[in-house]
Amino acid sequence: MSFFSEKRSPKGIFTAINSLNKFPQQLLAKLCQDVVDALQYKGSVPQVSHYQSELEKNSIELGKNEVQSTINVLFFLYRDASRASNLDQKQFLEILEKQTGITNQAGKVLATIWEREKQNLPSLNMPNVGKLIDFKWKVGVTFSSSISENLVTPFVTINISVSNTDDLVQTHSFEMSVPEFKEFARNLKEINQLLEVI
């Protein structure tokens, strides 16, 4: 079963593969693991500056855009392969070599990580769970309550409208303390960084 399709592949994939081929095996394995960890929500998006620095230590000059493209292509390949749940290590490597121009050495690194982690990658063939229709928020302050007269406690109220699979819209509301909202905002920022990479 082939997971790679040029029709679905991002622009510049072959240039990114050429950059990926320049990575030393150990560094490529670390980058692959970091990408897989990010896909499993165990880690954050790999930092370009870190890998650029590591490449320089190995006397390999790749620009920021080339390193970013390498990270992007790894996200694409592992996400795309996760659609083919029965893809084994050998098939993964054969497809990469035949269709992307990856070297055998680099392909083996990617295939080894794939074989070890494929069961832990989230399936991208998820059932339809609904669609976000609207997201509203507002800041409020509690000044007093029946227990205390001088609270002055800020909070954030969030209203989310979701259309379910039957196109019925449901609205869910909840409140968060400021620290909870800051953590929520940090998670959204991390999601945004991941989307920029992909």
Side-chain angles (χ1 to χ4, degrees):
M1 173 177 194
S2 178
F3 71 90
F4 178 81
S5 166
E6 274 191 63
K7 291 179 183 177
R8 286 194 321 263
S9 66
K11 183 180 175 184
I13 188 169
F14 299 107
T15 303
I17 292 289
N18 287 336
S19 296
L20 182 150
N21 286 334
K22 295 175 184 176
F23 272 65
Q25 279 187 297
Q26 280 188 311
L27 189 59
L28 182 57
K30 170 78 172 100
L31 178 57
C32 290
Q33 189 62 56
D34 285 350
V35 166
V36 167
D37 287 348
L39 286 170
Q40 295 172 6
Y41 312 107
K42 291 185 199 173
S44 59
V45 176
Q47 297 299 309
V48 172
S49 58
H50 169 73
Y51 282 96
Q52 199 171 12
S53 172
E54 291 297 315
L55 286 165
E56 287 172 4
K57 289 177 188 175
N58 287 281
S59 301
I60 298 170
E61 294 293 325
L62 283 179
K64 180 180 178 182
N65 290 341
E66 292 170 302
V67 175
Q68 184 66 65
S69 294
T70 301
I71 294 170
N72 293 354
V73 79
L74 288 171
F75 271 102
F76 170 76
L77 291 172
Y78 284 124
R79 284 179 66 238
D80 204 42
S82 71
R83 289 182 168 95
S85 58
N86 61 347
L87 193 65
D88 67 25
Q89 183 175 357
K90 183 180 177 187
Q91 292 169 316
F92 184 89
L93 178 60
E94 286 174 0
I95 292 167
L96 286 179
E97 288 180 339
K98 286 179 185 174
Q99 298 185 20
T100 69
I102 197 167
T103 64
N104 182 265
Q105 184 177 1
K108 283 181 178 178
V109 171
L110 271 69
T112 299
I113 301 292
W114 166 253
E115 187 63 26
R116 185 174 65 221
E117 299 289 345
K118 68 182 179 183
Q119 299 303 321
N120 300 322
L121 285 170
S123 172
L124 297 176
N125 295 324
M126 297 186 317
N128 185 357
V129 293
K131 179 180 176 183
L132 180 64
I133 301 296
D134 195 17
F135 181 94
K136 294 180 182 176
W137 62 274
K138 64 182 176 181
V139 176
V141 178
T142 304
F143 288 103
S144 63
S145 72
S146 59
I147 300 170
S148 177
E149 289 184 20
N150 192 13
L151 288 176
V152 189
T153 306
F155 61 91
V156 179
T157 302
I158 297 177
N159 293 316
I160 298 175
S161 297
V162 179
S163 171
N164 67 17
T165 55
D166 297 326
D167 288 329
L168 298 173
V169 177
Q170 295 178 325
T171 301
H172 305 277
S173 300
F174 55 94
E175 288 184 2
M176 296 178 161
S177 67
V178 172
E180 289 172 329
F181 183 75
K182 285 181 179 179
E183 176 66 15
F184 176 72
R186 187 190 63 73
N187 287 330
L188 287 178
K189 185 177 179 180
E190 196 169 302
I191 291 168
N192 185 47
Q193 288 176 330
L194 183 61
L195 290 174
E196 286 176 4
V197 169
I198 298 171

